[in-house]
Amino acid sequence: MKNATLYIDLAFCLILLPLMIYAFPVERWWSVNRVFFCSFIVWLYTSYFTYRLFIVPNLFKGGRLRWYAIGVLVASVLVTLLISSVHITSHIHHIRRSFMEQSPYPIWGVRPSQQAVWLYYIIVVMFSFAVGMLSEVYRQRVSYPMGNLSVSTVPILWHGKG
């Protein structure tokens, strides 16, 4: 199990995330704004490893480490908000502008580039949170094997009669 999280990290970073970038229309940003595209990809990888290695393990610890993890989590959301506020247009948007004027679609107040940034961020956060939770459960299970637990070390969750 110790190597399983490494293999999952490698599969996510080398296979899954590049395939998602290629499958969705984010690769068009490369031709429009290369600096933004590269910084966005670096931010996705940074978010993945920050959640995976710092935020999830420290949420289970008490005291200041938990508050540091919550602070980093809030900072991560704020940085993603700043990244999503960058206005990116693609060449296809200019081509389809006349078509959109003829048949307008509902305006949700969110640009497609903002939707893409938040979609990628949520996918990365959910995946890293899941992997981090699995590794944390494994770590806690190794720390407290079931054979060594006694009645006094197991928390009582239900106080009912019966």
Side-chain angles (χ1 to χ4, degrees), residues 26-33 36-37 40 88 113 116-117:
V26 175
E27 82 276 354
R28 286 188 232 148
W29 294 348
W30 177 258
S31 62
V32 177
N33 192 345
F36 176 77
F37 179 78
F40 177 63
I88 299 291
S113 61
V117 166

Side-chain angles (χ1 to χ4, degrees), residues 16-64:
L16 187 63
L17 192 58
L19 282 177
M20 285 188 336
I21 291 167
Y22 184 72
F24 295 120
V26 175
E27 82 276 354
R28 286 188 232 148
W29 294 348
W30 177 258
S31 62
V32 177
N33 192 345
R34 292 180 185 192
V35 173
F36 176 77
F37 179 78
C38 292
S39 61
F40 177 63
I41 300 304
V42 167
W43 173 245
L44 288 178
Y45 282 109
T46 303
S47 298
Y48 176 76
F49 285 109
T50 302
Y51 271 86
R52 162 88 173 74
L53 300 173
F54 181 74
I55 292 177
V56 174
N58 288 329
L59 284 177
F60 291 102
K61 298 176 183 171
R64 291 184 181 215

Side-chain angles (χ1 to χ4, degrees), residues 44 48 63 74 80 96 101-102 113 124 128 133 142:
L44 288 178
Y48 176 76
V74 169
T80 305
R96 294 178 50 187
E101 291 172 356
Q102 293 172 357
S113 61
V124 165
S128 64
M133 289 290 288
V142 168

Side-chain angles (χ1 to χ4, degrees), residues 3 6 21 41 54 62-63 74 106 108 139 141 152 154:
N3 290 335
L6 174 67
I21 291 167
I41 300 304
F54 181 74
V74 169
W108 302 101
R139 186 190 67 78
R141 184 163 183 190
S152 62
V154 177

